[in-house]
């Protein structure tokens, strides 16, 4: 149909174009393929060509294959490359299509010299003339529509080519709508799967966990259209594939990830343990530092792979892996997030299964061990509910570096540690760090706050009691020392321990033995003791409120945690740590801290230390209305914050120590110099009695003789 085509033939093609347009516009996604096939046949017959086809690019343009082919019966030979990737088979034509350029040839001889593969293909197929038109959607080349004449050369008019472009756009639009519909359906199906899995795994019997995980992997793989889905578990040593599904026709991978994975795949191991998703759409996406990972994928026939780490309690415990072997896949953006949710469901179920297995094993042991494990479970549940000021030690100052150096030195020993420091400096965090790095880390760190328990209950709490040992003892109780057997016990505020209990504690430290309250039977325990105090124990010894021999037994390895005022360089880090911690809790996204606010926070001496700082930042986040941290109407010492500006309110002639001394003297006088008890000065000042004594000593404040 050349430029001399009669108008009646043009009108016939316009009618055909209208018909095809109506076929494509309102077509249901499930009928798109059928309608395109029908339209392609109509076009081929109307144009009297021998072969018509539609090819489609993958989303990343790495794959370009024919989707639909129509040919006149007995005229066009079979296409040997009908299922081949045209990026490799016809690189010159592929590049031309990607540039959005038509290829219209009256004769194949018009192909340029560089189109060697294309010339050979045309000769093998007997093609004499061809017209290949790019299909575009929103300016993006999605593929092409093509027509071949095998029986004789022919001309392709500009009018016809323009109309064929419209046909290509109709086809491309229909295919795009179908793909969008399929993506949406897969997304909704995936969301429904996550919900159903979450419900199904809640009360799942431990014996059913493994089978249910494998079934869930099958559903995930089928929804996402991949060939293999697996769950990798991170044990203390090896990384292993614990659950695997593969599509029909895909052989099992003989390579099983085991103890050698850390050596063979160092890049993969580091990425997953650093909680980074590995997303490989094509093998060329592997970085240079992952040669062994790429070589394995090439050997196993993997064309695309996605590995999503799964974390519990801040550590990578597993990963979900998806592999595409038949064709490359461009992983949608939302898939890793949803896979992580599925992985967390798996990890929690496996954790519950492991806990159940351990519990069943424990129930087979002797009755005393059973009681101990039950008590341990109760304690651990209490610990989970506990709220700590910070979940990690923050600070890079020389003072904190020295503390952590001391922690590393003593952690791997069983030496008794005495941690000293003011209230709120993080003594418990230091104790947890010592325990976490010790050989006892697999056993619990049992905490006892000696100052928070009534004196009548401390002995029972530490050493346990027998049924009927005292009024209210209706059942036997396991003490904290027995609960900590094989682990660590943390005795906080050790200075508050009554003198008679100090004697019993000394015996446990020296002999590793004790008797529960109401029992004459001696029990032996293997417990590492870490004690902490915010008081000056040497002064307590001089006051005869603390045993010297117990002090020397506890302070085998002393660690002093400096107050915040002595490591002001850590305050900006702690401020941002607190902001990050409370962002989700309060729905505030603080992006900046004004310089004057940070300077003021750094200058304040923080009598309550890190705990006071975090509470201050949390209050500030509550009152902050924008993305900038503000301290509206907040007063610390002599710094007042009004309208987000810090202004010194102290008289120019007085130093900060003088102002503090004056203020403390006034409050002491109002409280009749009572430091402890009802209405005491420490309570009015908002600090502990021990800190008040420290301030009085530092500022040279002494009680008048007549007071």
């Amino acid at each position: 149909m050349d430029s001399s085509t009669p108008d009646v033939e043009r009108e016939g093609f316009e009618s055909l174009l209208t018909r095809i347009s109506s076929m494509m516009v309102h077509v249901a996604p499930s009928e798109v393929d059928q309608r395109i096939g029908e339209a392609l046949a109509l076009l081929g017959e109307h144009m009297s060509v021998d072969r018509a086809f539609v090819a489609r690019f993958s989303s990343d343009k790495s794959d370009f294959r024919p989707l639909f082919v129509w040919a006149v019966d007995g005229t066009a030979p079979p296409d040997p490359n009908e299922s081949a990737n045209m990026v490799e088979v016809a690189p010159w034509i592929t590049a031309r299509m990607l540039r959005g350029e038509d290829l219209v040839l009256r004769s194949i001889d018009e192909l340029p010299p560089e189109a060697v593969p294309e010339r050979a293909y045309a000769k093998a197929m007997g093609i004499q003339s061809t017209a290949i038109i790019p299909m575009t959607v929103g300016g993006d080349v999605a593929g092409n529509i093509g027509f071949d004449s095998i029986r004789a050369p022919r001309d392709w008019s500009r009018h016809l080519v323009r109309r064929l472009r419209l046909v290509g756009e109709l086809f491309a639009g229909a295919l795009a709508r179908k793909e969008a519909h399929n993506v949406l359906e897969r997304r909704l199906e995936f969301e429904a799967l996550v919900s159903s899995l979450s419900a199904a795994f809640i009360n799942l019997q431990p014996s059913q966990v493994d089978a249910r995980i494998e079934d869930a992997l099958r559903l995930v793989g089928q929804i996402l259209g991949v060939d293999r889905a697996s769950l990798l578990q991170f044990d203390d040593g090896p990384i292993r594939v614990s659950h695997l599904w593969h599509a029909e026709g895909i052989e099992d991978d003989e390579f099983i990830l085991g103890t050698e994975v850390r050596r063979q795949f160092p890049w993969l191991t580091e990425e997953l343990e650093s909680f980074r998703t590995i997303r490989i759409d094509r093998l060329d996406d592997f970085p240079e530092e992952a040669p062994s990972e790429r070589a394995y994928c090439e050997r196993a026939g993997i064309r695309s792979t996605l590995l999503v780490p799964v974390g519990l309690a801040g550590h990578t415990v597993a990963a979900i892996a998806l592999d595409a072997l038949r064709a490359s896949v461009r992983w949608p953006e939302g898939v890793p997030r949803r896979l992580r949710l599925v992985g967390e469901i798996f990890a929690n179920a496996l954790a519950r299964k492991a806990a159940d297995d351990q519990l069943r094993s424990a129930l087979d042991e002797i009755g005393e061990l059973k009681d101990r494990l039950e008590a341990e479970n109760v304690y651990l549940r209490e610990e989970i509910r506990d709220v700590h000021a910070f979940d990690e030690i923050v600070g890079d100052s020389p003072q904190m570096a020295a503390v952590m150096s001391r922690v590393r030195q003593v952690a791997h020993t069983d030496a008794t540690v005495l941690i000293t420091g003011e209230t709120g400096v993080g003594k418990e965090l230091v104790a947890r760090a010592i325990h976490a790095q010790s050989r006892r880390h697999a056993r619990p760190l049992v905490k006892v706050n000696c100052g928070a328990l009534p004196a009548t209950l401390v002995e029972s709490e530490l050493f346990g009691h027998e049924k009927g040992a005292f009024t209210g003892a209706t059942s036997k109780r396991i003490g904290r020392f027995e609960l900590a057997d094989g682990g660590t016990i943390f005795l906080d505020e050790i200075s508050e321990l009554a003198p008679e209990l100090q004697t019993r504690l000394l015996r446990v430290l020296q002999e590793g033995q004790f008797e529960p309250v109401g029992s004459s039977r001696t029990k032996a325990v293997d417990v590492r003791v870490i004690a902490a105090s915010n008081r000056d124990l040497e002064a307590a010894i001089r006051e005869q409120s603390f045993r010297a021999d117990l002090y020397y037994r506890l302070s085998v390895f002393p660690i002093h945690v400096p107050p915040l005022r002595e490591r002001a360089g850590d305050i900006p880090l702690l401020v941002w740590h607190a902001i990050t911690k409370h962002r989700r809790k309060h729905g505030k996204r603080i992006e900046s801290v004004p310089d004057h606010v940070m300077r003021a926070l750094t200058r304040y001496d923080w009598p309550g230390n890190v705990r006071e700082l975090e509470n201050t930042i949390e209050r500030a986040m509550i009152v902050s209305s924008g993305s900038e941290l503000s301290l509206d109407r907040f007063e610390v010492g002599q710094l007042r914050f009004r309208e987000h500006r810090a202004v010194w309110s102290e008289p120019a002639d007085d130093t900060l120590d003088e102002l503090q001394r004056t203020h403390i003297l006034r409050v002491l006088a109002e409280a009749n110099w009572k430091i402890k008890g009802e209405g005491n000065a420490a309570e009015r000042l908002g600090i502990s009695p021990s800190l008040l004594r420290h301030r009085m000593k530092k500022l040279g404040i002494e009680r008048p003789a007549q007071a």
Side-chain angles (χ1 to χ4, degrees):
M1 193 161 58
D2 57 21
S3 58
S4 62
T5 303
D7 289 342
V8 65
E9 289 194 29
R10 291 191 178 187
E11 291 175 2
F13 193 84
E14 296 292 344
S15 299
L16 177 61
L17 185 59
T18 301
R19 180 180 175 185
I20 292 174
S21 177
S22 64
M23 291 170 62
M24 294 292 108
V25 170
H26 299 296
V27 61
S30 59
E31 298 177 0
V32 167
D33 292 354
Q34 178 184 345
R35 294 292 177 84
I36 290 180
E38 293 172 356
L40 206 58
L42 290 174
L43 284 167
E45 292 170 357
H46 182 84
M47 296 167 56
S48 298
V49 296
D50 300 308
R51 183 172 175 270
F53 57 90
V54 173
R56 184 79 185 274
F57 279 107
S58 63
S59 55
D60 62 355
K61 303 298 188 289
S62 65
D63 203 80
F64 183 31
R65 298 172 188 271
L67 292 182
F68 310 95
V69 179
W70 170 88
V72 176
D73 292 339
T75 303
D79 186 348
N81 296 317
E82 190 169 313
S83 61
N85 185 356
M86 302 308 290
V87 172
E88 302 168 356
V89 174
W92 182 82
I93 291 179
T94 299
R96 191 178 182 92
M97 293 300 105
L98 288 173
R99 293 195 300 269
E101 300 174 3
D102 302 329
L103 177 63
V104 180
L105 303 175
R106 184 180 185 281
S107 171
I108 294 303
D109 293 336
E110 297 175 5
L111 281 169
E114 60 268 25
V116 175
E118 289 80 359
R119 189 182 299 276
Y121 169 71
K123 183 177 180 181
M125 288 288 293
I127 298 172
Q128 297 198 45
S129 296
T130 189
I132 305 176
I133 314 298
M135 297 191 312
T136 60
V137 177
D140 180 53
V141 178
N144 66 29
I145 180 172
F147 303 90
D148 295 331
S149 176
I150 295 174
R151 289 171 291 188
R154 65 168 294 164
D155 289 323
W156 310 88
S157 70
R158 285 178 293 176
H159 173 81
L160 175 62
V161 171
R162 286 196 298 270
R163 293 300 179 266
L164 291 178
R165 288 198 196 103
L166 295 177
V167 173
E169 291 176 1
L170 290 172
F171 287 178
L175 289 169
R177 290 194 300 275
K178 172 191 170 185
E179 179 62 25
H181 174 80
N182 291 342
V183 168
L184 179 60
E185 276 199 336
R186 287 196 296 270
R187 181 178 300 171
L188 294 175
E189 195 174 355
F190 205 158
E191 297 289 354
L193 174 63
V194 173
S195 298
S196 65
L197 289 178
S198 180
F201 274 81
I202 288 177
N203 297 314
L204 193 65
Q205 294 297 319
S207 60
Q208 300 173 331
V209 167
D210 292 330
R212 194 68 182 88
I213 287 178
E214 290 183 357
D215 187 56
L217 287 174
R218 174 184 62 81
L219 294 173
V220 169
Q222 291 174 346
I223 289 173
L224 296 178
V226 298
D227 301 308
R228 187 161 56 215
S230 56
L231 178 68
L232 289 73
Q233 290 195 59
F234 286 57
D235 296 331
D236 291 338
I239 301 174
R240 59 188 177 87
V241 173
S242 59
H243 302 79
L244 176 69
W245 166 86
H246 57 78
E248 187 176 351
I250 300 297
E251 296 181 359
D252 282 336
D253 186 359
E254 295 181 358
F255 183 83
I256 302 299
L257 294 179
T259 56
E260 296 298 314
V261 69
R262 297 180 186 278
R263 180 176 61 82
Q264 294 189 23
F265 299 141
W267 176 79
L268 178 146
T269 300
E270 181 180 354
E271 292 296 294
L272 293 179
E273 290 186 335
S274 300
F275 212 70
R276 290 191 286 267
T277 295
I278 298 175
R279 175 176 171 171
I280 303 297
D281 297 342
R282 298 182 299 166
L283 297 190
D284 288 343
D285 293 340
F286 275 113
E288 293 181 358
E289 56 267 29
S292 53
E293 287 82 357
R294 174 168 182 164
Y296 164 69
C297 287
E298 291 175 345
R299 187 169 63 252
I302 298 173
R303 305 182 69 166
S304 300
T305 187
L306 177 68
L307 293 99
V308 179
V310 178
L312 286 180
H315 300 283
T316 302
V317 297
I320 289 186
L322 302 181
D323 297 326
L325 283 76
R326 294 187 176 99
S328 299
V329 173
R330 186 174 184 181
W331 305 105
E333 291 298 329
V335 167
R337 178 184 61 82
R338 291 190 287 273
L339 276 179
R340 186 167 286 119
L341 293 177
V342 173
E344 289 172 356
I345 293 172
F346 292 170
N348 280 292
L350 289 168
R352 291 196 302 272
K353 177 177 180 291
D356 183 81
D357 291 343
Q358 292 175 357
L359 181 59
R360 289 181 182 275
S361 175
L363 290 175
D364 293 336
E365 298 180 4
I366 61 175
E368 184 177 350
L369 182 57
K370 171 186 173 182
D371 293 341
R372 174 185 165 189
L373 290 176
E374 288 176 346
E376 180 178 322
N377 286 338
V378 171
Y379 175 77
L380 290 177
R381 285 196 295 271
E382 293 172 354
E383 280 292 287
I384 291 172
R385 291 194 299 268
D386 228 359
V387 178
H388 303 289
F390 283 94
D391 55 6
E392 60 180 340
I393 297 175
V394 177
D396 57 5
S397 63
Q399 295 89 337
M400 287 309 296
V403 170
M404 295 313 298
S405 175
R406 299 277 288 175
V407 168
R408 285 190 291 271
Q409 289 171 349
V410 77
H412 298 292
T413 73
D414 279 338
T416 303
V417 179
L418 177 62
I419 305 172
T420 59
E422 297 177 4
T423 299
V425 294
K427 297 186 290 296
E428 183 179 341
L429 293 180
V430 174
R432 290 181 180 278
I434 294 172
H435 175 72
Q437 297 181 43
S438 73
R439 62 178 180 85
R440 300 172 179 266
H441 68 275
R443 297 293 300 154
L445 168 69
V446 177
K447 174 190 171 185
V448 181
N449 190 327
C450 301
L453 293 171
T456 55
L457 295 180
V458 172
E459 185 176 14
S460 172
E461 191 71 23
L462 289 176
F463 307 114
H465 64 251
E466 297 294 324
K467 181 178 179 181
F470 51 84
T471 303
T474 57
S475 62
K476 178 181 177 180
R477 179 184 178 88
I478 300 290
R480 293 299 175 95
F481 266 96
E482 188 174 353
L483 184 61
D485 190 18
T488 305
I489 191 166
F490 174 54
L491 303 175
D492 199 8
E493 297 187 28
I494 190 70
S495 59
E496 305 300 322
L497 206 60
E500 59 272 19
L501 290 178
Q502 294 179 26
T503 303
R504 294 198 64 182
L505 176 59
L506 182 61
R507 181 190 172 196
V508 177
L509 291 175
Q510 291 175 339
E511 303 175 9
Q513 296 179 338
F514 66 92
E515 291 86 29
V517 178
S519 173
S520 59
R521 188 161 59 95
T522 300
K523 292 192 174 185
V525 290
D526 172 24
V527 177
R528 188 213 191 133
V529 175
I530 300 177
S533 176
N534 58 10
R535 287 184 56 190
D536 184 348
L537 292 182
E538 293 184 354
I541 293 172
R542 291 192 295 271
E543 296 170 1
Q544 297 186 350
S545 62
F546 200 82
R547 292 180 61 105
D549 49 0
L550 177 59
Y551 170 75
Y552 296 128
R553 191 67 183 81
L554 289 172
S555 60
V556 173
F557 195 90
I559 297 178
H560 178 69
V561 183
L564 198 52
R565 62 180 175 276
E566 293 179 7
R567 53 185 186 103
D570 290 337
I571 290 178
L573 292 175
L574 290 163
V575 168
W576 280 109
H577 185 84
I579 289 172
T580 303
K581 177 180 178 181
H582 294 295
R583 274 176 177 167
R584 181 173 296 179
K585 177 180 177 182
H586 298 297
K588 299 291 183 70
R589 187 156 188 87
I590 301 299
E591 302 290 350
S592 64
V593 178
D595 290 343
H596 66 272
V597 172
M598 189 64 81
R599 282 196 304 271
L601 293 172
T602 304
R603 289 170 179 167
Y604 182 52
D605 62 1
W606 299 107
N609 292 292
V610 178
R611 187 180 295 120
E612 181 186 1
L613 172 62
E614 185 186 4
N615 292 338
T616 298
I617 298 304
E618 184 174 5
R619 288 196 300 271
M621 291 182 70
I622 293 172
V623 303
S624 297
S625 57
S627 62
E628 184 178 271
L629 187 73
S630 61
L631 297 170
D632 187 29
R633 301 182 63 82
F634 175 72
E635 181 178 338
V636 230
Q638 300 306 306
L639 279 177
R640 297 181 184 275
F641 296 85
R642 288 191 177 90
E643 300 178 1
H644 313 292
R645 292 197 301 270
V647 204
W648 286 102
S649 65
E650 61 175 322
D653 296 332
D654 290 341
T655 66
L656 184 58
D657 283 350
E658 290 169 342
L659 287 168
Q660 288 184 348
R661 190 174 189 279
T662 301
H663 183 59
I664 291 174
L665 280 169
R666 179 175 59 80
V667 174
L668 284 167
E670 292 173 354
N672 294 321
W673 287 84
K674 285 200 302 182
I675 296 177
K676 298 178 67 175
E678 185 177 353
N680 65 80
E683 182 179 347
R684 296 188 182 191
L685 289 167
I687 59 178
S688 66
S690 60
L691 182 57
L692 177 55
R693 292 190 187 96
H694 172 78
R695 291 292 172 85
M696 291 171 64
K697 181 178 180 181
K698 175 184 175 183
L699 298 172
I701 298 176
E702 295 182 357
R703 180 174 182 171
Q706 67 274 18

